[in-house]
Amino acid sequence: MRGFRFATRKSQKGLTSVEFSIIGGLFFVVLFAVIEFGRLMFVMNMLDEVTRRGARLAAVCPVDPASIAFVQERARFNGGVIPGLDAAMVDVGYLEMDGTPADLTDPVNAVTDIYYVRVRINGFNHRMLIPTLNFNIPMPDFSTTIPSESLGVHPDGSSASCT
């Protein structure tokens, strides 16, 4: 009987290491999944904030290419917050009363025809950081539309650049 107990203890030596490797592996998978889900929610919130911030800037900046480039850069926090979000993905649009795109070829009349400003993010993919599972998640398009305000025109009729 004594030899039997000794053999049982000896045969179970290292069993806790095997159990820990199974439970530890599962624990780290869940831990990385929770971290990645948090990152995903952060990125989605920031993409929404980029459209909101861009629309707010576009509503008070003049309607010219330099100001649009300024809005695209500033809306994405100068490119430092969301890796992979390029200025080309931030689309600034000016809309007439019925929601159709405004004709920007005549800058004098364009300001009076613009009733809404819309900023959209198209084609952004979120890159996962889980080791060995490097894949991209396509994000939905984000959009914010607000009423236009001064569009860079002061009450005295003068215009100033946002840059």
Side-chain angles (χ1 to χ4, degrees):
M1 193 64 140
R2 198 173 229 185
F4 178 73
R5 252 189 279 159
F6 178 71
T8 304
R9 282 188 208 155
K10 192 172 187 178
S11 67
Q12 290 190 8
K13 207 171 196 179
L15 186 61
T16 55
S17 298
V18 173
E19 290 171 349
F20 177 75
S21 67
I22 293 169
I23 299 300
L26 182 64
F27 171 75
F28 283 113
V29 166
V30 170
L31 179 67
F32 281 127
V34 167
I35 290 171
E36 278 301 320
F37 184 74
R39 282 189 63 243
L40 178 67
M41 291 295 105
F42 172 77
V43 167
M44 289 181 79
N45 189 30
M46 287 306 297
L47 291 172
D48 189 45
E49 179 63 20
V50 165
T51 61
R52 189 206 61 78
R53 183 176 165 145
R56 180 69 186 112
L57 276 171
V60 297
C61 286
V63 183
D64 60 22
S67 294
I68 291 173
F70 174 80
V71 168
Q72 290 172 328
E73 188 64 25
R74 289 296 168 105
R76 36 183 218 108
F77 299 92
N78 297 328
V81 177
I82 305 173
L85 181 62
D86 298 328
M89 293 178 187
V90 180
D91 177 43
V92 180
Y94 299 95
L95 308 174
E96 292 182 2
M97 179 76 110
D98 60 356
T100 60
D103 180 23
L104 302 179
T105 56
D106 182 15
V108 175
N109 291 330
V111 173
T112 59
D113 293 342
I114 296 172
Y115 284 88
Y116 302 103
V117 176
R118 178 178 59 205
V119 175
R120 293 186 294 187
I121 295 180
N122 301 316
F124 181 75
N125 291 319
H126 174 64
R127 183 162 179 87
M128 302 292 281
L129 293 180
I130 296 176
T132 70
L133 294 177
N134 294 327
F135 61 92
N136 294 328
I137 297 176
M139 292 284 107
D141 293 343
F142 288 84
S143 177
T144 299
T145 304
I146 64 171
S148 64
E149 293 180 19
S150 67
L151 296 173
V153 179
H154 296 283
D156 64 4
S158 65
S159 179
S161 176
C162 281
T163 58

